[in-house]
């Protein structure tokens, strides 16, 4: 896009996909915020908001909806429709894409499993898993942190909570990528959309099989609790049950994997901060919050106003997409002094990495617990932890920020 005042090529949010900004999008966000914190992006066909105050205000404003709107099926090839249509419908019934009252009903059903007290009771199990994953690599003096640690830890934890076999996790990663691609939206070709949706259809079929087994042999886990809610009538229908199982499994580990990967990468790039945490493990809760702010696993989310809304001199028309860039809000100097500095002791850290308002991340206490146990144990058990390469590649996504692979070395003891 041409900037008429300066004659320069103007940067837009899509530029995040250029290699230099994929490695570090924050200078781009600063430019957008300084130049025009609320702008209409022709390419994305959406409003882009990069100021903390706007992001927070939109996310808690009931005039903005999270809903997908009616599910379009006319484009689907006739022979694939019976498989793809239920997949799309179930995704559209996830709590993430619902407004009150449906949203409150669904969230209430799942929320009981995620209270801070329930999550805290998982601490000994998380600690054991972390120790087992480290036992497997400790003698080697090296590991690929994403595949060996950051991926399996949250995948096993959420699989155990739901009550599905953790051994199926190599399949979960593929389906979670399909789900992530759908959320990333936009640039999918027709063929990619078909492949993605048929992956999600397989994901649903997997849960249908798990649910069928429970109907004959009930168990004591989160999936069973959701099935009970479905069996008790109109509180949860089958589409909602399936959609929310997919959401919990996918949201429950993809993002936490990125927190662990981005977090360790940030620590390795700031050895004095790493040392601070190594020497003061009690800093872990504030440290994890700072790592979430500094390089957020979810960089943006979106809403649509249900009627025209006048906003700081602009008019958002009903139905237009409004992108709230969480990653930019988290580096806004108006909210965070010296925002580009990683400061594990930062106080008053009201970051929006878990979103804000009614859809605030349900899994936040779980993600924080896993990261706190992971980082303190890693630093205690692995002396001389170092990056094994300078060539770090990020996932090509506007929504999710994560590292493809993070090879590290350490002193084997
Ligand atoms: C919602 C981020 C981990 C389950 C959200 C939202 C964000 C987010 C930004 C709000 C999206 C929006 O408003 O549009 C993260 C990050 C995580 C993480 C950064 C890890 C570091 C988890 C975990 C679980 C989970 C571990 C479950 C086990 C959910 C659910 C919602 C959600 C169910 C939807 C809540 C609702 O719509 O009311 N998450 N999440 N997340 N997250 Fe997380």
């Amino acid at each position: 896009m041409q900037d008429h005042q300066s004659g320069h090529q103007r940067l837009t949010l899509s530029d995040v996909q250029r290699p230099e900004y994929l490695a570090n999008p924050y200078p781009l966000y600063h430019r957008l915020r300084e130049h025009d914190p609320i702008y209409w992006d022709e390419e994305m066909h959406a409003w882009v908001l990069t100021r903390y105050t706007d992001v927070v205000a939109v996310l808690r404003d009931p005039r903005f909806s999270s809903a997908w709107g009616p599910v379009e099926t006319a484009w689907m090839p006739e022979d694939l429709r019976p498989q793809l249509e239920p997949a799309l419908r179930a995704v559209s019934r996830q709590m993430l894409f619902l407004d009150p009252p449906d949203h409150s009903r669904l969230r209430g059903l799942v929320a009981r499993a995620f209270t801070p007290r329930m999550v805290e009771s998982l601490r000994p199990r998380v600690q054991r898993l972390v120790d087992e994953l480290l036992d497997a690599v400790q003698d080697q003096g090296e590991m690929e942190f994403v595949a060996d640690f950051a991926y399996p830890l949250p995948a096993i934890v959420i699989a155990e909570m739901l009550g599905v076999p953790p051994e199926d996790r190599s399949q979960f990663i593929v389906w979670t990528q399909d789900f992530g691609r759908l959320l990333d939206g936009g640039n999918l070709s027709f063929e990619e959309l078909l492949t993605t949706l048929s992956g999600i259809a397989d994901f649903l079929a997997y849960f249908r099989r798990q649910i069928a087994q429970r109907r004959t042999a009930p168990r004591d886990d989160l999936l069973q609790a959701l099935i009970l809610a479905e069996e008790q009538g109109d509180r949860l229908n089958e589409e909602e049950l399936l959609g929310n199982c997919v959401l919990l499994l996918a949201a429950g580990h993809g993002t936490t994997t990125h927190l662990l990967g981005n977090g360790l990468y940030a620590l390795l790039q700031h050895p004095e901060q790493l040392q601070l945490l190594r020497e003061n493990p009690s800093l872990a809760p504030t440290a994890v919050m700072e790592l979430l702010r500094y390089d957020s696993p979810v960089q943006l989310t979106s809403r649509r106003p249900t009627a025209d809304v006048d906003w700081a001199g602009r008019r958002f028309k009903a139905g237009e997409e409004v992108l709230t860039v969480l990653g930019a809000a988290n580096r806004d100097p108006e909210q965070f002094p010296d925002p580009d500095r990683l400061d594990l002791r930062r106080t008053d850290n009201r970051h929006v990495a878990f979103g804000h308002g009614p859809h605030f991340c349900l899994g936040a206490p779980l993600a924080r617990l896993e990261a706190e146990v992971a980082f303190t144990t890693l630093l205690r058990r692995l002396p001389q932890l170092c990056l094994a390469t300078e060539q770090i590649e990020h996932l090509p996504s506007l929504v999710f920020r994560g590292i493809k692979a993070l090879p590290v070395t350490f002193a084997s003891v």
Side-chain angles (χ1 to χ4, degrees), residues 59 66 95-97 103 107 114 158 161 247-248 251-253 255-256 259 292 297-298 301-303 326 352-356 358-364 366-367 370:
L59 291 179
S66 294
M95 73 180 92
L96 197 54
F97 303 126
H103 171 256
R107 186 170 164 117
F114 289 94
I158 189 67
M161 270 184 96
L247 173 65
L248 283 172
H253 75 271
T255 44
T256 311
L259 164 60
L292 277 158
V298 180
T301 183
S302 75
R303 296 290 187 268
L326 308 173
V352 284
F354 289 124
H356 185 77
H359 290 273
F360 180 83
C361 177
L362 199 60
L366 179 60
E370 290 178 39

Side-chain angles (χ1 to χ4, degrees), residues 240-273:
E240 293 168 339
L241 171 61
L242 289 169
N244 285 285
C245 288
V246 165
L247 173 65
L248 283 172
L249 191 61
H253 75 271
T255 44
T256 311
T257 299
H258 299 334
L259 164 60
L260 297 173
N262 297 353
L264 184 61
Y265 185 47
L267 289 173
L268 292 169
Q269 287 177 310
H270 297 83
E272 77 301 338
Q273 294 288 304

Side-chain angles (χ1 to χ4, degrees), residues 137-190:
V137 295
Q138 181 115 40
D139 293 341
Q140 299 167 11
E142 59 178 13
M143 68 170 146
E144 197 287 87
F145 182 69
V146 175
D148 291 339
F149 189 95
Y151 173 66
L153 176 66
I156 296 171
V157 171
I158 189 67
E160 288 185 352
M161 270 184 96
L162 272 167
V164 297
E167 307 77 70
D168 294 343
R169 63 179 184 274
S170 57
Q171 188 56 58
F172 301 156
I173 194 170
V174 179
W175 290 330
T176 298
Q177 281 164 356
D178 287 329
F179 180 60
R181 252 197 309 278
L182 205 62
L183 295 195
D184 241 334
N187 301 333
L188 290 184
S189 68
F190 183 68

Side-chain angles (χ1 to χ4, degrees), residues 4 40 60 98 134 167 210 284 409:
H4 294 297
W40 174 255
R60 67 165 167 239
L98 296 178
L134 294 184
E167 307 77 70
Q210 292 290 329
T409 58

